[in-house]
């Protein structure tokens, strides 16, 4: 292939295309042994300004990781493990199961037991983000990864915001109008996709005015209807109500999970 179409890694070497496991507007992820390395998209023909623009986004994400996981040897529950921040890259544990989105699109609906496990793991991950005064901002099923044992973890912090450590999170919004409540709303959409197998495609952006970069909490009529027989109905509805979990935030989901009773199937 023409070298002009091969991206260059942080060391200036061409990236083998078959090693790229994810790619976005400004960054890509390369699989090397047991590590997934996120780096800026840079081509040989890029100007210094183009390369720097993409690399600056990686450096911004590195600051998020320094807040979340200052000790790379100690993972944070519910969040993909960061292994290092070498140069303008983010080195992470490789998750062999791929994205939750891909799993849901190509597999049968998971058992309720597995659904509850995923709900718990994701709620813990989001709670840990918010405890560290980080707003995710893009919590979608494509940004959740799975390991070989079907455990899920939140990833892709490129849109995340780091707030001052003394921030009262229930009242806070970032520069894009994201908050713990928009994070919880998005988590509710992920829960809906897990529990029903239906992908929503609903975005927080583009319906709050002329500025598509600013998020807005969707009205209830923009969100899917929920069957009264859906075991997670109350959990999801509370995610979709701004401020619904109160001061507990994402931890409130764990309390509801502990109380929920799933009816047994009749034989």
């Amino acid at each position: 292939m023409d070298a002009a179409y091969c991206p260059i890694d942080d060391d200036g070497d061409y990236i083998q295309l078959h090693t790229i496991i994810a790619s976005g507007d400004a960054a890509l992820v390369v699989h090397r042994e047991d590590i997934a390395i996120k780096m800026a998209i840079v081509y040989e023909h890029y100007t210094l300004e183009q390369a720097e623009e993409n690399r600056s986004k990686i450096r911004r994400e590195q600051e998020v990781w320094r807040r979340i996981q200052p000790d790379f040897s100690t993972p944070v529950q519910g969040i993909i493990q960061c292994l290092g921040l070498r140069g303008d890259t983010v080195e992470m544990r490789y998750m062999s199961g791929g994205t939750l989105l891909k799993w849901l699109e190509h597999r049968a609906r998971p058992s309720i037991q597995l659904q509850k496990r995923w709900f718990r793991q994701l709620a813990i991950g989001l709670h840990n983000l918010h405890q560290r005064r980080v707003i995710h901002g893009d919590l979608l099923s494509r940004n959740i990864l799975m390991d070989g044992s079907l455990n899920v973890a939140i990833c892709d912090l490129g849109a995340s915001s780091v707030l001052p450590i003394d921030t009262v999170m229930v009242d806070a919004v970032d520069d894009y109008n994201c908050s713990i409540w928009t994070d919880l709303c998005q988590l509710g959409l992920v829960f809906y996709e897990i529990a029903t197998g239906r992908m929503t495609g609903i975005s927080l952006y583009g319906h709050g005015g002329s500025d598509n970069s600013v998020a807005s909490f969707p009205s209830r009529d923009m969100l899917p209807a929920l069957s009264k027989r859906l075991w997670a109905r109350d959990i999801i509805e509370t995610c979709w109500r701004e401020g619904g979990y109160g001061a507990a935030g994402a931890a409130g989901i764990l309390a509801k999970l502990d109380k929920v009773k799933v009816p047994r199937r009749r034989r």
Side-chain angles (χ1 to χ4, degrees):
M1 179 177 285
D2 190 331
Y5 296 97
C6 288
I8 299 170
D9 67 16
D10 203 47
D11 295 321
D13 299 320
Y14 290 117
I15 297 171
Q16 298 180 32
L17 297 184
H18 72 273
T19 66
I20 298 174
I21 55 177
S23 182
D25 293 333
L28 53 80
V29 181
V30 174
H31 177 207
R32 293 177 180 169
E33 297 180 350
D34 293 328
I35 300 175
I37 306 173
K38 186 172 184 177
M39 62 187 72
I41 293 177
V42 177
Y43 290 97
E44 193 173 47
H45 63 272
Y46 271 20
T47 64
L48 289 175
E49 289 77 12
Q50 287 175 306
E52 175 58 24
E53 181 179 0
N54 286 353
R55 285 174 175 149
S56 68
K57 294 176 181 178
I58 296 294
R59 291 195 290 272
R60 180 181 182 275
E61 184 170 346
Q62 288 178 329
E63 291 306 309
V64 180
W65 279 110
R66 290 187 179 100
R67 169 66 67 81
I68 294 170
Q69 193 190 330
D71 181 357
F72 298 136
S73 64
T74 305
V76 177
Q77 192 174 0
I79 303 169
I80 190 171
Q81 183 179 4
C82 180
L83 302 174
L85 300 172
R86 187 178 66 87
D88 291 333
T89 69
V90 178
E91 297 180 348
M92 300 165 286
R93 174 192 172 202
Y94 174 66
M95 301 283 274
S96 61
T99 67
L100 177 62
L101 174 62
K102 185 176 180 180
W103 198 97
L104 293 173
E105 287 179 335
H106 295 93
R107 301 290 188 94
R109 194 182 310 176
S111 67
I112 292 180
Q113 182 180 8
L114 183 55
Q115 291 178 36
K116 290 178 70 176
R117 188 171 104 197
W118 288 349
F119 277 36
R120 183 173 297 278
Q121 290 172 342
L122 294 173
I124 289 172
L126 187 57
H127 174 69
N128 283 332
L129 281 178
H130 293 165
Q131 285 289 96
R132 289 159 175 78
R133 304 305 188 260
V134 172
I135 294 171
H136 190 282
D138 196 25
L139 190 53
L140 308 173
S141 52
R142 69 168 183 259
N143 293 331
I144 295 167
L145 293 178
M146 187 181 303
D147 67 15
S149 300
L150 301 186
N151 296 302
V152 292
I154 295 170
C155 70
D156 197 348
L157 304 177
S160 299
S161 297
V162 177
L163 303 182
I165 201 64
D166 59 351
T167 298
V168 178
M169 293 298 282
V170 294
D171 302 322
V173 294
D174 68 7
D175 292 341
Y176 306 98
N177 203 43
C178 292
S179 65
I180 67 170
W181 310 119
T182 55
D183 275 358
L184 280 163
C185 180
Q186 288 190 309
L187 185 59
L189 290 169
V190 172
F191 286 170
Y192 173 84
E193 293 174 355
I194 291 171
T196 68
R198 304 186 194 106
M199 303 300 106
T200 66
I202 295 172
S203 173
L204 300 179
Y205 302 89
H207 52 80
S210 58
D211 189 351
N212 289 341
S213 69
V214 176
S216 59
F217 198 98
S219 60
R220 183 61 187 86
D221 61 359
M222 295 180 63
L223 301 169
L226 297 177
S227 167
K228 292 182 179 179
R229 294 182 294 176
L230 186 67
W231 74 267
R233 184 173 186 267
D234 182 50
I235 292 172
I236 296 171
E237 283 285 8
T238 308
C239 287
W240 290 347
R241 190 168 66 247
E242 190 167 8
Y245 280 104
I253 297 171
L254 302 177
K256 283 187 179 290
L257 278 171
D258 289 337
K259 295 177 181 178
V260 71
K261 294 182 180 180
V262 180
R264 294 182 179 179
R265 292 183 179 179
R266 294 180 180 178
R267 294 184 178 179

